[in-house]
Each structure stands twice: as C-alpha cells, then as structure tokens.
Amino acid sequence: MGRILVALGGNALQRAGDHGTWAEQVAQMRLTARVLAGLVAEGEELIVTHGNGPQVGTLLRQNEIAERELPARPMDVLGAETQGQIGYLIEQELTAALVQAKAPRTVLSIVSRTVVSPRDKAFAHPSKPVGRYYTEAEARTLRKREGWQMEYDGARGGWRRVVPSPLPRRWIEGDALRKLLPRGWGAHIVPVVTGGGGVPVVERGRGMFEGVEAVIDKDRTAALVASALDADTLVILTDVPGAAVGYRKSWERWLGQVSASEIRSYLRRGEFGGGSMGPKVEAALSFLQAGGRRAIITDPPSLGRAIRNETGTRIVPD
Amino acid sequence: MGRILVALGGNALQRAGDHGTWAEQVAQMRLTARVLAGLVAEGEELIVTHGNGPQVGTLLRQNEIAERELPARPMDVLGAETQGQIGYLIEQELTAALVQAKAPRTVLSIVSRTVVSPRDKAFAHPSKPVGRYYTEAEARTLRKREGWQMEYDGARGGWRRVVPSPLPRRWIEGDALRKLLPRGWGAHIVPVVTGGGGVPVVERGRGMFEGVEAVIDKDRTAALVASALDADTLVILTDVPGAAVGYRKSWERWLGQVSASEIRSYLRRGEFGGGSMGPKVEAALSFLQAGGRRAIITDPPSLGRAIRNETGTRIVPD
C-alpha cells in the first residue's frame, strides 16, 4: 500500500449540463467521495486536491453583476473563497464516505497559497480564459478600464478575458505540514490542499507575498504537492478513462501502462492537444521527474482498478 | 509565556464607515497582524480565530442580486467561503508581520466545521439577524417563499431575516489536530481555525454531518477551541478597550482584573446588554469553567499591555 495524491477535475464536482446548483455539486462529490473512500479502506494513504474553474467563474460573475452595489473582490481572493467552498464540500462528503467504508479519518482542508515567479514567461503571454463571454464593444471597454487582456474565441463567437498561467514553484503551507505531521499521519487524516492550484502569489520580499490575477494549473501544483508530501502515486481524475493517441480518430489507441519517455514522445508530436490532456501529461511527467513512482490519468469509475494497474493510463519512470 | 487564542472581531477586519473594499480589509488586518506578531515575538504561542459577519453579509447580498442568472448557495456554504477569504487574508498579512517581527511562523488556515445540537433551543427561537433590510412586503414574500423567519428592527425601520444561534458543541477538525500536532508546535505554526464560529452542522448519523442555516457566536466557539488546544489565555478582540459596568452612564467604570463570579454577577444584573458585550462575557466565563486560566476582553491597540496585565478586562477564576 502506498500514499496517493488524487487531483479532482471539474467533473468530479460538476457534470456537463449541470445548472451549477449546490445540490448538484453535492450529488456529484458524493459519488467521487465513495471512490476515494474505497482507496482508503484498501489501506492507501490519501491526499486530495481539486480544480475550481466553474466555481471561480460563478464568483467572478456574481461579483460582476453586483458590482454597482458591492465592490468586487480580486481574483486571488475569489480563488481562496472557492478553497473554502470546495474544501467544506469535500470535508462533508468524504467524512461520511470514509465512515461508511469503515475507514474513518478526519478530512482537513487547508487554505493554500502557491508561489509563482514574477519572471515567469506566462505573465508576458496571458493564455488562460476566465469568466464569461463578452461582445466586442464590452471587450474594448474592459481592456481600457480594467487593463484586461481579451481574446476572441471563434468557436463561441465571443470575447473572453485571458490571464497568465504561471508554473507553481512552492506550496507555502507545505513545508510546515511536512515538518509537523508525524509518521503514519495517513491513518488519521486526509489533507485537502492547494485547491484550484493554490492561490497564486509572488514573493516581494522575505515573507511578503502578493496575490496575483493568474490561474495555476491544478495538476501542476498537484505534482508539486505529491512530491512535497512523499506520495508515490499521483492520480489525475478527469472525465475520460485515460490518455489516448489518435484521440477520436480511426486509429485511436488508449494508453495503459506507458513509460515516461514513450508518452513524452507522443506529447512532443502533439497527440494530446494544448487545452485538455496535454497539461495533464506534462504534470504527470513533472511528478515522475521529481522522483514519483507512478502517475495515473483516469476517470472516477475506473480509479479503483487503475490503482491495481488494471485500467487507466499509468505512466511509470523509464 | 503561554499559549493564547485570539478571537478577532469584525472591526479587526473592517472599520465602521468602510465601503467594504478588499483594500480596506487588507489595511485593517495589517494593523491587527502587527499586534499579533508582537505577541509571538515575545514568546507566546498563538492560535487565531475570526468573525465573518460583514463578509457573509456581502456574499448573501451578491447571491441575492445575481440569483436570476446563478443559483444562490446556502448559508453554510457561504460561511465556508468566508473562511477561505479571511483565512487567506490572515495568512498573507500575519506571515509578513511575523517575519518583520523576527518570529517567522507558517500561518495555517483550516476550513472548520462546528457541531451543534438539532435539539438546541435556538432552533425554535431564531434570534440572530443576517443579511440586508427588507420592506414589509418583501418580508412577507420571503417568509412565504423561503420559509424565513423575519423580524422588524424598529431602530432602522426595516425587516431582517433572523436565524438560530445555537451553542457550539464540538469542533470537528480539532480532535485530529490535537492528536497529530507534536509538542511545541507553536514554535512553527499559527493555526487559524473556526472562522465565523465554524460552519454549523448537525450530526445525522456517525460521520454524517448536515450544514444548517444558522450562525454560531464566534467567541463561544473560540472558548471551545481554546480549551481543545490547551490555550491558557483566551483573548476576545473588539472595538472597545474592555468591559464596563454602567457603560455610557455617569457611573461608568471600566473593569480591569475581575473574578469570574464578580463579572457573572454583573452579567446577571444585565450590565452588558444582549447584543454586544454580554455574549463575550459569557464566552469568557465558559472558557474559565472548562479550566482556562485567563480571559481578556480588549481592543487591538491595548492587546500587548493587556497580556502583561496592565490594561483591558482580565477575567480570572475565583
């Protein structure tokens, strides 16, 4: 048995077609929690992290709609709020599922900050769309008034704000946790950390961290956290059972166990696309590079079998 | 030197007359953080908790304004969101202040749930006003449509929703923390816990907690946490330098060091009022009853001297 960090994608919390109600998020998380509790019941030590895309989108929009009456809060603050929201949801559902699975643990959600470099090239090339779609006239106004970078999305025929997506360098709260937690903590707690990749901050001086309007890829931070807390397996949970070459083409082939160098060659020839699977494979590779033993990409229903190396894409060192 | 739990009141985060911008909250917290860091530099171990009244009010209002486009989230969820928001703010400002004070620590904000009893009498008598003021017609609609209990506030000439304010019974995450943290953890971390009194939940079965639409007095939870984490001193920070008998009358007298039974007698004869100082004195007494050594009620500028027993109201066991 080992120590596993599971990174929950958006679909672990919200299904396509959902209206974004709290009841829907609860129902979806309940299913995921059962799967996670199953791992713990089989003797695995568990760490959880999660995305926050739809949730932070909702908060951005609420702030926008209410702006005439109530001052809007910056994006780093909204990110922290989603950590509270989703951290609470995971505490609630996973606590219950763990008791049901006869493997009670205290689920402990920690408000997490992630340091990024102010010299990260991403700051010169904002690329990550956030929030809603705007008309061209609105986009022009926002560019001028807020200094936002706006990008046209041809597929949806609208403009969106794009923000930088810098690489995570350090999870601030991690050093202390690593030092303080006694051996065998996995028998008592399940930490929930760096939600949404962690609140992005830059270090302006020793101990002086400043929140920035950016988005950190939650899987990249997950790789960092998995290393920091000595997890041997990193699981990236998404809405497909694994990674495929020739995805949705006639020669489509799902990847099972695959070496780091093999999947890196697929990545380099553009098999996985920039927006979806590519960054997950990159995060998996960065975990192995830092000494991780296994990275798994799969969906919640397949997770139990993937851990036993029976399904899903399992990436292992060369 | 000892272990101190400081409960930050609303004014530690937001001053009367503020517009509720994030910059204002940062500026106010920066002042408070300096005072807290001073305690740590003098060798005290520190635990922090905080209120969330104005912040949860803002989220309620934003949810209400945006409700036609985006489903509103329940109050327990909004409470968790304020823990993320304020937990992040305290992490940011206190981390910096601690480094400045040459007493670096990792500030660790934990999303906290507090168990209340479903048989608490407060559920039959909702008393705590939340959210904005409504007209009589609106109040009637909300009572019918949402099942809210509404109360008329003569002073402001409007109707407000009132929710139950049950007593905190157990801080769920506290048991694990208490077990896991090694001796001397105060030299490494400053935990920030049970913001807004903790998200109120009732236990429906073993491990099955259900969020409820209620408000827990953050000072009552602070007293519980102070006992759970073996703090010897509970500090309730507010906007007055202490408790007074004959407050704002010609015979006003500020209380310095005072025994539990003495201040209890003032409480019984109604010296402190129900809405403001009374609950703080009750929280202080409940801490002493559970074995605490000293409870202090004071404002941020007086805190350093109050800890040295030079000012503020210090309540001690008989």
Side-chain angles (χ1 to χ4, degrees), chain B residues 167 217 220 236 243-247 253 255 258-289 297 313 315:
Chain B
L167 280 181
D217 184 282
R220 288 309 283 255
I236 299 176
V245 290
Y247 183 57
R253 182 168 63 86
L255 299 171
V258 58
S259 74
S261 60
E262 186 183 342
I263 205 166
R264 188 181 294 113
S265 73
Y266 301 145
L267 181 70
R268 284 193 181 141
R269 71 180 201 222
E271 285 284 356
F272 304 121
S276 50
M277 191 53 74
K280 295 189 202 326
V281 171
E282 283 172 15
L285 287 170
S286 78
F287 171 62
L288 295 184
Q289 178 121 28
I297 300 174
T313 297
I315 310 167

Side-chain angles (χ1 to χ4, degrees), chain A residues 39-201:
Chain A
L39 298 185
V40 177
E42 282 172 25
E44 309 283 357
E45 294 187 312
L46 182 64
I47 305 154
V48 178
T49 185
H50 60 83
N52 71 345
Q55 292 79 12
V56 88
T58 296
L59 297 193
L60 277 167
R61 182 72 184 127
Q62 286 184 323
N63 270 261
E64 188 178 57
I65 294 173
E67 199 170 12
R68 274 192 210 160
E69 187 178 320
L70 297 160
R73 296 177 299 287
M75 234 180 88
D76 56 324
V77 180
L78 302 184
E81 291 175 18
T82 66
Q83 288 188 15
Q85 178 196 118
I86 303 169
Y88 167 58
L89 175 61
I90 297 175
E91 283 180 354
Q92 288 281 85
E93 295 306 320
L94 191 51
T95 300
L98 286 164
V99 167
Q100 284 257 306
K102 297 190 172 37
R105 302 281 186 281
T106 301
V107 183
L108 218 53
S109 298
I110 291 163
V111 180
S112 301
R113 298 171 291 165
T114 302
V115 181
V116 300
S117 166
R119 286 174 304 281
D120 194 300
K121 281 176 189 154
F123 285 105
H125 306 284
S127 64
K128 185 85 187 167
V130 293
R132 69 176 179 102
Y133 290 82
Y134 296 94
T135 65
E136 192 171 345
E138 287 173 323
R140 212 176 299 123
T141 307
L142 288 167
R143 199 180 272 143
K144 232 185 245 170
R145 199 187 65 200
E146 308 281 346
W148 292 357
Q149 184 133 347
M150 307 296 293
E151 207 172 78
Y152 187 68
D153 177 349
R156 291 278 298 265
W159 291 79
R160 279 182 97 184
R161 178 183 183 190
V162 284
V163 298
S165 184
L167 281 180
R169 300 280 164 188
R170 185 163 70 92
W171 164 38
I172 297 181
E173 291 72 28
D175 300 340
L177 266 193
R178 187 190 161 92
K179 243 187 288 177
L180 277 183
L181 288 177
R183 271 174 164 287
W185 55 260
H188 304 285
I189 61 167
V190 175
V192 179
V193 302
T194 65
V199 181
V201 298

